[in-house]
Amino acid sequence: MTPLGTALTRARSWVRAHRLVSDGALAAAVLAGMLLGSFARAHDGPGGPILGTSSPSPLGVLLMVLAGGALVFRRRAPMPVLLCTGGLTLVDLFTGHPPVTVVFSAVIALYNVGAHTDRPTTWRVGLATMAVLTAVAMWLSPDPWYSQQNLSIFAWTGMASAAGDAVRSRRGFIDAIRERAERAERTREEEARRRVAEERLRIARDLHDVVAHHIALVNVQAGVASHVMDKRPDQAKEALAHVREASRSALNELRATVGLLRQSGDPEAPTEPAPGLAHIDGLLDTFRNAGLPVEFAADGAGDAGNRLPAAVDLAAYRIIQEALTNVRKHAGQAAKAEVSVVRVGAAVEITVLDDGRGTGEPADGGGHGLIGMRERVTALGGSLSAGPRYGGGFRTQAILPVKNRTGENA
């Protein structure tokens, strides 16, 4: 946006926030115009009105000041302001001091009524104001009824009503377009959310059908193989072949169904096993080679890692990985880290400590690592706490339940 456009936008915003001030400025401008017009008198020769050939009376000045002051409240009370300015115009007409300049305040008030009321009210009030002011001017004017001054009152009041109605109609049209656009945007977002929910439900049904059918088949065939293993090894071998085929079909269909969730350009799924606590030594070595001293302690870490559910085992590994990454990035060059994995009843407790003093640089990423860890832990029904340690350093602790849905220990 150009500097001029920016200045105009700021000025428009300021005017909207201080409407009384803007109305006061308009009232002052109208009052100045009425006072200037009161010093001009029309004549029959060429050249139009001549300034300085007339001067307003004290009553005329008072009427113009009162009419201009009433316009300050034109937005707050459109109809009372119109009645006030119209009444002052009638008083000016009855005093018989041409030219009639107070009528311009009534013209402004009539426009404001048209811009802030409905169309029937605008035309009823506009016709009534136009008829009364024009009739009184024609009746009291010393000039012929068709004189320019009388017809100008008729023309100005009519144009004020029409202009106010046009402005109100345009404002209503723009508001209607904006409302339709906002409604269409909301409808589009709701439709997108509905389609996403329907697609998720459909994929969930497909996954359920695939997994339930093949796992049931595997279960039956495995039971048959177990039953006839000693007496009929050939039949047991055939049942195991069916198990292998059913499991392969389940994996293929599961891969095809989950593939629907992938987007173009996504990397291929890794073929290596998911990491877990059994691979923790390799992970710690990578950080040690990068210059971060790490001490590790575990209560039967290797055995505990083998007994953990796959999701919990993977989450423990990722939490240690992310916590040590944060230590490496934010704790400073001389920092040391301590990692402990302890099995406590039906839960496993992962703690990562460091004694770093910080790098002095702002953390990048906006804390997404901690957010990711917290979401991962919450999904498993666990809890995560992270914060500075007393005396310096940082502490990250996660507690993950290792019970399955049936309540049995994993």
Side-chain angles (χ1 to χ4, degrees), residues 214-388:
H214 289 287
I215 294 302
L217 182 59
V218 167
N219 184 53
V220 171
Q221 295 295 338
V224 171
S226 176
H227 182 68
V228 301
M229 179 67 69
D230 296 332
K231 298 180 180 180
R232 302 176 186 175
D234 294 338
Q235 188 175 354
K237 185 177 181 180
E238 183 181 355
L240 291 177
H242 287 304
V243 168
R244 183 176 59 183
E245 183 65 25
S247 61
R248 182 185 297 112
S249 299
L251 287 175
N252 291 334
E253 295 187 26
L254 186 61
R255 186 180 297 111
T257 304
V258 175
L260 297 175
L261 301 177
R262 290 185 174 274
Q263 298 180 358
S264 59
D266 286 349
E268 294 293 333
T271 57
E272 66 273 6
L277 292 180
H279 307 86
I280 194 66
D281 292 336
L283 175 65
L284 299 180
D285 288 339
T286 59
F287 284 99
R288 292 181 182 126
N289 295 333
L292 175 65
V294 182
E295 296 182 4
F296 179 71
D299 183 9
D303 297 337
N306 292 332
R307 292 197 303 268
L308 290 177
V312 177
D313 196 21
L314 175 61
Y317 181 92
R318 293 304 187 194
I319 289 170
I320 295 173
Q321 183 183 38
E322 184 62 38
L324 290 177
T325 301
N326 289 339
V327 174
R328 179 63 182 161
K329 292 168 60 177
H330 307 305
Q333 294 295 331
K336 298 180 181 180
E338 300 177 6
V339 179
S340 65
V341 180
V342 180
R343 181 72 176 265
V344 182
V348 60
E349 181 179 301
I350 302 103
T351 305
V352 180
L353 306 175
D354 71 79
D355 59 355
R357 302 295 179 179
T359 60
E361 299 178 357
D364 55 352
H368 294 302
L370 288 176
I371 294 175
M373 284 192 288
R374 182 167 286 108
E375 290 179 352
R376 187 184 293 272
V377 171
T378 303
L380 296 174
S383 61
L384 177 75
S385 60

Side-chain angles (χ1 to χ4, degrees), residues 17-315:
H18 304 81
R19 292 188 178 275
L20 192 61
V21 176
S22 61
D23 290 342
L26 176 63
V30 173
L31 176 60
M34 290 189 296
L35 290 174
L36 183 63
S38 64
F39 285 94
R41 180 183 295 276
H43 64 93
D44 296 333
I50 300 177
L51 291 176
T53 59
S54 177
S55 60
S57 65
L59 178 59
V61 173
L62 177 62
L63 294 176
M64 287 183 283
V65 170
L66 292 177
L71 292 179
V72 177
F73 307 98
R74 65 187 184 91
R75 296 182 199 264
R76 294 187 176 184
M79 294 300 294
V81 170
L82 177 61
L83 292 175
C84 178
T85 54
L88 293 174
T89 301
L90 291 176
V91 173
D92 189 45
L93 290 173
F94 276 104
T95 56
H97 295 283
V100 181
T101 57
V102 183
V103 71
F104 290 107
S105 63
V107 170
I108 299 297
L110 186 57
Y111 162 81
N112 192 71
V113 169
H116 294 86
T117 58
D118 56 281
R119 175 165 293 175
T121 302
T122 298
W123 289 112
R124 285 197 300 267
V125 174
L127 289 175
T129 304
M130 181 172 55
V132 171
L133 294 183
T134 304
V136 172
M138 291 179 177
W139 175 41
L140 297 177
S141 176
D143 301 324
W145 65 270
Y146 51 85
S147 64
Q148 180 181 357
Q149 291 186 1
N150 297 335
L151 294 181
S152 65
I153 294 177
F154 178 83
W156 280 107
T157 51
M159 286 190 298
S161 299
D165 180 71
V167 170
R168 179 196 53 77
S169 299
R170 181 178 180 276
R171 188 185 298 123
F173 177 71
I174 294 175
D175 292 340
I177 292 178
R178 185 181 295 111
E179 182 181 358
R180 284 198 297 269
E182 294 175 354
R183 189 186 307 115
E185 185 67 23
R186 290 193 301 267
T187 303
R188 184 161 49 250
E189 293 176 356
E190 293 173 357
E191 179 67 16
R193 287 194 295 267
R194 185 185 64 82
R195 290 182 179 273
V196 169
E198 291 178 353
E199 186 65 15
R200 287 178 177 175
L201 182 60
R202 186 189 66 80
I203 293 175
R205 291 197 191 101
D206 292 343
L207 288 175
H208 176 269
D209 294 343
V210 169
V211 173
H213 169 71
H214 289 287
I215 294 302
L217 182 59
V218 167
N219 184 53
V220 171
Q221 295 295 338
V224 171
S226 176
H227 182 68
V228 301
M229 179 67 69
D230 296 332
K231 298 180 180 180
R232 302 176 186 175
D234 294 338
Q235 188 175 354
K237 185 177 181 180
E238 183 181 355
L240 291 177
H242 287 304
V243 168
R244 183 176 59 183
E245 183 65 25
S247 61
R248 182 185 297 112
S249 299
L251 287 175
N252 291 334
E253 295 187 26
L254 186 61
R255 186 180 297 111
T257 304
V258 175
L260 297 175
L261 301 177
R262 290 185 174 274
Q263 298 180 358
S264 59
D266 286 349
E268 294 293 333
T271 57
E272 66 273 6
L277 292 180
H279 307 86
I280 194 66
D281 292 336
L283 175 65
L284 299 180
D285 288 339
T286 59
F287 284 99
R288 292 181 182 126
N289 295 333
L292 175 65
V294 182
E295 296 182 4
F296 179 71
D299 183 9
D303 297 337
N306 292 332
R307 292 197 303 268
L308 290 177
V312 177
D313 196 21
L314 175 61

